[in-house]
C-alpha cells in the first residue's frame, strides 16, 4: 500500500523560532550560574518590537534586553530596512517571580512535576537518527541553508525560511521523495529563477547526496511558490514562543501532548519527560524491540511518579510480550522529574541550540546537549529481552 506523508521545518530566522531562541537563551543564562533556577519565559516579536514575559525563580540577575538583542543579532537581523533590527527594536520586559504554589510542588524532597500533562516520545528506523525521513530531511535542508547563508554563499538570502518534504511510503517504508518545497526571505531585487538555481546547487543537492542516496527523488522542487518573499521575518509575521511544536518533534509522524519546550526549565515535564520518552523510544528501536515505537508519559502537578506509562509499537514489535518491555522500561529508566533531570543532565545551559532544527534527531554534544539522543541502553535492553 502506497501513501504520502509530508513534514515541514522552519529556519532560525522564522519569527516563531526567533522567539524560541530568545526564551531558551534566557533559560541558559539563568541555569549557567544557578543550575536550580526555575524559568518559564515567553517571547513575542513583531515589527521593530520584542516582548519578554514569564516567571523566574533564580539567584542570577540577567540583562534580558541585552540578551534578546544579542540573540536577534546572531540570527542575522542586522540588515537595514527589514523592519526588525536588533539595535532599532523596542524591547519590553515583563518577567516576574515564579508562583510560590508551583515552586512548592517542584521543590520538595522528591521533586514533583511542574505541571500536569501528557508527553510523547517516538522513534523509527527510517533514518540513521531513528527519526521519520520527512522531518529529518526538512531539518537538514534548513541547517545546510543556514550554513551557506552565514558563510555568504547566498548573498540575497535573509534569515527567514521554510522547508517542506513529501515522501511516498510503501508498506510503511520510504520509497521515494515526491516533492521538496522551500521558501526563503530574500532581497527585493532577487529573481526567483536565480535563487532557485542557487538553492538547488548549494542546499538540496548536497543534503540529498548525504542523506538519501538510496531513495529516489522525483526532481519536483517548488521554490517560493507565491512568487515573492521580500517581506519576511517578524516584520512580515508576528512570532511567539512555542508555536512550532510539530516542527520541534516528529513532523506529525508521532503524537504530541500539546506542551511546547522552549523557555521552560527541566522541572517542567512538558520538556524533560518528552526528552526522556524520546530517549526510551529510541533505545527500544535501537535494541531491535520494534521498527516503530511511541512512549506516552503522563504526570500530575506536584507528584513525582507518572500517572501512566504507555508503549505502542504499531504492530512492528519483534518480541512476543510487550508487557515485559513495559516492565523493563520502568526498571531501567528513571521516570520521576528529578530522576530524569539527573539522568539526562538537564541542569546545564544546553537549551538554546535545541530551539532550531528540531529537538530530536541530533547528535549528542560534548557539553551534554542532546543527551536524550544517546542509544547507550540499547545493548542492555536487547540482552534483557534476549533479542538477537
Amino acid at each position: 500500500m502506497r501513501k504520502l506523508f509530508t513534514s515541514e521545518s522552519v529556519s532560525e530566522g522564522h519569527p516563531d523560532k526567533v522567539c524560541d531562541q530568545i526564551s531558551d537563551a534566557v533559560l541558559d543564562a539563568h541555569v549557567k550560574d544557578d543550575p536550580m533556577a526555575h524559568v518559564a519565559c515567553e517571547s513575542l516579536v513583531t515589527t521593530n518590537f520584542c516582548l519578554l514575559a514569564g516567571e523566574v525563580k533564580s539567584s542570577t540577575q540577567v540583562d534580558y534586553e541585552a540578551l534578546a538583542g544579542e540573540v536577534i543579532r546572531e540570527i542575522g537581523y542586522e540588515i537595514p530596512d527589514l523592519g526588525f533590527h536588533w539595535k532599532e527594536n523596542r524591547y519590553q520586559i515583563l518577567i516576574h517571580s515564579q508562583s510560590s504554589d508551583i515552586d512548592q510542588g517542584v521543590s520538595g524532597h522528591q521533586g514533583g512535576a511542574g505541571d500536569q500533562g501528557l508527553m510523547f516520545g517516538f522513534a523509527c528506523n527510517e533514518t540513521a537518527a531513528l527519526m521519520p525521513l520527512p522531518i529529518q530531511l526538512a531539518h537538514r535542508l534548513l541547517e545546510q541553508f543556514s550554513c551557506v547563508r552565514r558563510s555568504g554563499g547566498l548573498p540575497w538570502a535573509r534569515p527567514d525560511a521554510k522547508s517542506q518534504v513529501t515522501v511516498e511510503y510503501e508498506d510503511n517504508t520510504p520509497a521515494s521523495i515526491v516533492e521538496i518545497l522551500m521558501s526563503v526571505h530574500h532581497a527585493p531585487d532577487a529573481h526567483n529563477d536565480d535563487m532557485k538555481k542557487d538553492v538547488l546547487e548549494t542546499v538540496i543537492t548536497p543534503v540529498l547526496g548525504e542523506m538519501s542516496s538510496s531513495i529516489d527523488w522525483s526532481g519536483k522542487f517548488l521554490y517560493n511558490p507565491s512568487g515573492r518573499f521580500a517581506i519576511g521575518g517578524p516584520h512580515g509575521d508576528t512570532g511567539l514562543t512555542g508555536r512550532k511544536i510539530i516542527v520541534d518533534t516528529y513532523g506529525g509522524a508521532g503524537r504530541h501532548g500539546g506542551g511546547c519546550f522552549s523557555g521552560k526549565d527541566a522541572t517542567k515535564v512538558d520538556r524533560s519527560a518528552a526528552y526522556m520518552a524520546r530517549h526510551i523510544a529510541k533505545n527500544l528501536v535501537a535494541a531491535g524491540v520494534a521498527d516503530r515505537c511511541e512512549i506516552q508519559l503522563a504526570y500530575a502537578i506536584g507528584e513525582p511518579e507518572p500517572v501512566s506509562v504507555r508503549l505502542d509499537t504499531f504492530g512492528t514489535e519483534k518480541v512476543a510480550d510487550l508487557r515485559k518491555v513495559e516492565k523493563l522500561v520502568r526498571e531501567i529508566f528513571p521516570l520521576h522529574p528529578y530522576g530524569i533531570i539527573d539522568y539526562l543532565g538537564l541542569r546545564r545551559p544546553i537549551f538554546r541550540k535545541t530551539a532550531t532544527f528540531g529537538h530530536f534527531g541530533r547528535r549528542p554534544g560534548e557539553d551534554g546537549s542532546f543527551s536524550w539522543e544517546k542509544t547507550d541502553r540499547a545493548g542492555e535492553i536487547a540482552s534483557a529481552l534476549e533479542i538477537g
Side-chain angles (χ1 to χ4, degrees):
M1 177 180 178
R2 288 181 175 263
K3 59 183 180 180
L4 303 181
F5 195 84
T6 301
S7 295
E8 72 158 349
S9 182
V10 297
S11 73
E12 74 268 44
H14 184 281
D16 295 331
K17 278 293 150 198
V18 172
C19 292
D20 285 345
Q21 290 169 88
I22 293 170
S23 294
D24 271 337
V26 168
L27 172 60
D28 281 350
H30 280 286
V31 172
K32 178 182 177 181
D33 296 320
D34 180 10
M36 302 302 288
H38 294 164
V39 177
C41 178
E42 311 287 345
S43 305
L44 177 149
V45 294
T46 187
T47 302
N48 294 326
F49 180 75
C50 175
L51 167 71
L52 275 66
E55 305 81 45
V56 169
K57 179 190 176 187
S58 175
S59 61
T60 298
Q61 298 296 314
V62 173
D63 185 338
Y64 297 118
E65 180 173 332
L67 179 62
E70 180 61 16
V71 171
I72 292 166
R73 185 195 66 78
E74 289 177 0
I75 291 170
Y77 284 108
E78 52 182 348
I79 302 171
D81 303 321
L82 289 189
F84 192 74
H85 191 290
W86 71 279
K87 273 188 177 180
E88 299 170 1
N89 291 342
R90 181 166 62 90
Y91 295 87
Q92 187 172 3
I93 310 300
L94 299 174
I95 294 178
H96 56 83
S97 298
Q98 184 186 53
S99 162
S100 59
D101 293 341
I102 294 176
D103 179 62
Q104 174 179 289
V106 301
S107 297
H109 174 66
Q110 291 183 299
D115 203 350
Q116 70 176 52
L118 51 142
M119 302 84 210
F120 289 95
F122 181 81
C124 62
N125 60 7
E126 293 178 22
T127 62
L130 302 185
M131 286 285 287
L133 177 60
I135 186 66
Q136 191 71 357
L137 183 51
H139 284 323
R140 302 297 78 82
L141 288 171
L142 286 181
E143 274 190 312
Q144 175 69 7
F145 163 76
S146 178
C147 288
V148 177
R149 175 182 68 84
R150 289 174 180 275
S151 69
L154 299 171
W156 48 263
R158 304 297 180 250
D160 191 3
K162 286 186 172 185
S163 65
Q164 187 170 284
V165 177
T166 300
V167 172
E168 183 178 45
Y169 286 76
E170 184 171 6
D171 298 328
N172 295 317
T173 299
S176 67
I177 299 167
V178 174
E179 181 177 285
I180 294 173
L181 163 63
M182 288 192 68
S183 295
V184 179
H185 183 200
H186 58 80
D189 59 351
H191 297 285
N192 251 19
D193 290 344
D194 295 334
M195 292 187 289
K196 182 176 182 178
K197 180 176 179 292
D198 289 346
V199 170
L200 183 61
E201 290 178 353
T202 65
V203 178
I204 293 178
T205 298
V207 171
L208 289 183
E210 180 181 346
M211 274 195 64
S212 305
S213 57
S214 62
I215 301 176
D216 291 334
W217 172 39
S218 68
K220 187 173 182 181
F221 173 37
L222 295 180
Y223 179 80
N224 281 356
S226 71
R228 187 171 171 81
F229 190 6
I231 300 173
H235 183 45
D237 186 16
T238 297
L240 292 169
T241 299
R243 279 206 305 200
K244 288 293 177 280
I245 58 177
I246 300 304
V247 169
D248 284 344
T249 52
Y250 309 103
R255 281 172 279 202
H256 197 293
C260 79
F261 302 152
S262 290
K264 298 176 180 177
D265 74 88
T267 63
K268 299 291 189 183
V269 283
D270 281 339
R271 184 169 216 158
S272 55
Y275 288 176
M276 178 56 88
R278 161 65 177 171
H279 180 64
I280 296 169
K282 187 174 185 182
N283 275 270
L284 291 175
V285 172
V289 172
D291 294 334
R292 297 169 67 85
C293 180
E294 185 176 76
I295 299 289
Q296 185 198 47
L297 304 175
Y299 292 84
I301 188 168
E303 291 294 323
E305 294 296 330
V307 298
S308 69
V309 180
R310 181 178 182 270
L311 166 67
D312 191 344
T313 53
F314 308 97
T316 68
E317 64 272 8
K318 305 297 193 296
V319 297
D321 188 357
L322 287 179
R323 290 174 298 180
K324 187 176 180 180
V325 179
E326 290 183 350
K327 183 174 183 291
L328 183 63
V329 164
R330 286 182 176 271
E331 288 176 354
I332 69 175
F333 294 103
L335 299 180
H336 52 91
Y338 277 19
I340 293 173
I341 290 169
D342 290 342
Y343 178 87
L344 295 177
L346 300 181
R347 295 199 187 277
R348 289 175 283 189
I350 58 173
F351 296 105
R352 182 184 165 188
K353 65 178 67 176
T354 69
T356 51
F357 312 124
H359 291 246
F360 308 126
R362 310 284 290 276
R363 294 179 179 175
E366 293 182 0
D367 60 353
S369 58
F370 303 102
S371 58
W372 48 94
E373 290 296 305
K374 293 179 180 179
T375 53
D376 51 341
R377 309 304 293 274
E380 179 183 356
I381 293 169
S383 176
L385 297 173
E386 300 179 341
I387 298 172

